[in-house]
Amino acid sequence: MMQTRAAVLYEAGKPVVIEEITLDAPRQGEILVRMEAAGVCHSDLHVRDGSLPEPMPIVLGHEGTGVIAEVGPGVTGFEVGDRVVLTWVPSCGQCYFCQRGQTHLCTTAGAMGVQGTLRDGTSRMHLGDKNLHHFLAVSCFSEYVVVPQEGAAKIPADVPMEVAAVLGCAVLTGVGAVERTAGVRPGESVAVIGCGGVGLNVIQAASLSGAYPIIAVDINPEKLKMAQSFGASHTINSREQEALREVRRITQLGVDWAFEVLGNPRTIEQAWSLIRAGGTAVVVGLAPRTSTITLPAFEFIIEKSIRGCFYGSSRFHADVPALLKRIQAGRMRIEGMVSHTAPLDELETAFERMRRGDGARTIIRFPSA
Ligand SMILES: [Zn+2]
Ligand SMILES: [Zn+2]
């Protein structure tokens, strides 16, 4: 048992409070990780602001890197001192989906997320006599975390912690959406609505897949500039330009693939409008739980499709080592996706920046031990 500093959200719509919390020692199959870097993602903001209901109180944070400080009983393949990246889908390897190779849909990991606990149904985090909930079995807005061993993968010594920090959500989701969910082919046309952390990864992966044109859509000129640097061939500022008219001007028929990376019902409908006959809208963004969309049903006759995308249909333990090799070989760029770094105490400022759509991603840096 130890004390650690963590950002506790007591109630949606209220600011997080930095507290000294009590953290239990890792149990069977769990590891204790001293965090070094954690990305601030829209899903954290959704919980903070109330559009994604979670059990409270909770410690948010679901992408990050750190160093293993202690291994629990039954842990194999990890040692104290290992540098690791965390995942919010610690797949079990046993359930229906894991056995079919769809580890991102693991029901065991899903249950941990719903209950806000670790696998045995209990929490390792406490404040006084109160239990705190885990967020997606990660909760890395905390100096130390206890996670299941399936929720971590090793990273080599020459990959900086803040580079690897975005792997666990933004990179896996964005790259996976293109390479695993969609399977974009060379020469196909792509539109990406929303050019934040995930959107930039969609753009980079589309570019590496040989897609052309790659049309970035956003309302922030700064993000559109970043989109260009990651491979967008065209940009549309949808505050000033009519996206549908511009996409038609560039592609005549519409795009083969439209990736929606905001989780906004209106832009999901917009993604549908941007695809050609036979094209597919891929919904990567997390929409508010009760929201609905309206599509012109007649257009199914021209073989337009829409499909969901969860965590880029990724397989964490296979994809992370492959992505790390591509990054190390200079075939994939992460630098430039992180727009801000901040200490844990400035988490609320990072949320505020995100609400304004300012910058691609903030990385929380923890003091090194
Ligand atoms: Zn995320
Ligand atoms: Zn499973």
Side-chain angles (χ1 to χ4, degrees):
M1 205 191 271
M2 65 182 293
Q3 296 294 114
T4 187
R5 287 176 82 238
V8 179
L9 178 66
Y10 288 97
E11 196 182 325
K14 298 254 174 77
V16 297
V17 183
I18 309 296
E19 302 270 25
E20 278 285 319
I21 68 163
T22 307
L23 190 63
D24 296 338
R27 294 190 187 169
Q28 183 72 24
E30 296 171 354
I31 53 176
L32 173 71
V33 178
R34 177 178 58 76
M35 294 308 299
E36 290 217 349
V40 184
C41 177
H42 265 103
S43 311
D44 300 306
L45 181 65
H46 287 319
V47 180
R48 157 66 179 80
D49 287 350
S51 60
L52 181 63
E54 287 287 332
M56 301 282 162
I58 193 167
V59 176
L60 297 176
H62 64 281
E63 73 173 14
T65 45
V67 176
I68 295 186
E70 189 181 336
V71 294
V75 169
T76 52
F78 287 113
E79 287 173 22
V80 170
D82 282 345
R83 307 167 87 235
V84 290
V85 54
L86 306 179
T87 177
W88 49 275
V89 185
S91 53
C92 71
Q94 310 292 322
C95 72
Y96 174 82
F97 294 103
C98 283
Q99 301 241 317
R100 289 171 42 120
Q102 292 175 298
T103 55
H104 62 296
L105 299 178
C106 174
T107 46
T108 313
M112 282 189 258
V114 169
Q115 293 162 9
T117 63
L118 295 187
R119 192 161 293 166
D120 67 358
T122 63
S123 174
R124 301 292 162 272
M125 300 183 293
H126 319 279
L127 191 58
D129 54 3
K130 215 175 173 120
N131 287 333
L132 304 174
H133 290 91
H134 293 252
F135 184 44
L136 306 175
V138 181
S139 290
C140 61
F141 294 152
S142 174
E143 289 177 356
Y144 283 83
V145 298
V146 173
V147 298
Q149 61 176 332
E150 295 81 7
K154 286 186 212 177
I155 51 177
D158 62 337
V159 176
M161 284 297 202
E162 62 265 39
V163 167
V166 292
L167 273 179
C169 186
V171 177
L172 273 185
T173 303
V175 173
V178 171
E179 297 183 351
R180 286 212 184 270
T181 311
V184 173
R185 308 284 306 158
E188 289 185 327
S189 52
V190 167
V192 182
I193 305 172
C195 301
V198 176
L200 291 176
N201 280 287
V202 171
I203 289 165
Q204 173 162 243
S207 176
L208 292 172
S209 298
Y212 186 88
I214 299 168
I215 306 166
V217 184
D218 205 291
I219 54 171
N220 181 330
E222 207 177 305
K223 284 188 182 171
L224 289 172
K225 214 171 278 170
M226 291 174 84
Q228 269 175 319
S229 82
F230 279 94
S233 59
H234 299 72
T235 59
I236 297 173
N237 185 332
S238 54
R239 190 167 271 166
E240 293 161 2
Q241 296 162 288
E242 218 277 289
L244 177 59
R245 189 172 347 120
E246 287 301 307
V247 165
R248 285 286 170 82
R249 188 180 61 74
I250 299 161
T251 63
Q252 283 79 53
L253 298 173
V255 289
D256 294 288
W257 301 97
F259 293 89
E260 199 277 352
V261 197
L262 298 171
N264 179 324
R266 299 294 80 76
T267 45
I268 295 170
E269 292 165 354
Q270 182 183 45
W272 175 268
S273 76
L274 300 183
I275 57 174
R276 63 163 174 78
T280 305
V282 182
V283 182
V284 185
L286 174 72
R289 192 161 283 183
T290 53
S291 62
T292 56
I293 58 168
T294 303
L295 297 177
F298 178 74
E299 293 180 15
F300 288 113
I301 197 74
I302 54 170
E303 296 195 354
K304 286 173 76 162
S305 306
I306 185 162
R307 64 163 303 170
C309 171
F310 184 71
Y311 202 18
S313 313
S314 61
R315 298 169 202 171
F316 177 75
H317 291 284
D319 292 352
V320 161
L323 285 166
L324 282 167
K325 277 185 201 151
R326 294 163 78 180
I327 291 164
Q328 283 176 298
R331 300 300 176 105
M332 192 170 254
R333 186 157 71 90
I334 302 293
E335 291 85 11
M337 279 172 192
V338 176
S339 52
H340 300 83
T341 57
L344 183 62
D345 305 75
E346 288 171 24
L347 179 57
E348 279 293 328
T349 316
F351 283 146
E352 185 48 42
R353 261 200 300 275
M354 199 166 241
R355 277 186 211 103
R356 288 199 308 265
D358 174 14
R361 211 155 192 85
T362 297
I363 296 286
I364 301 292
R365 286 304 315 244
F366 294 89
S368 293

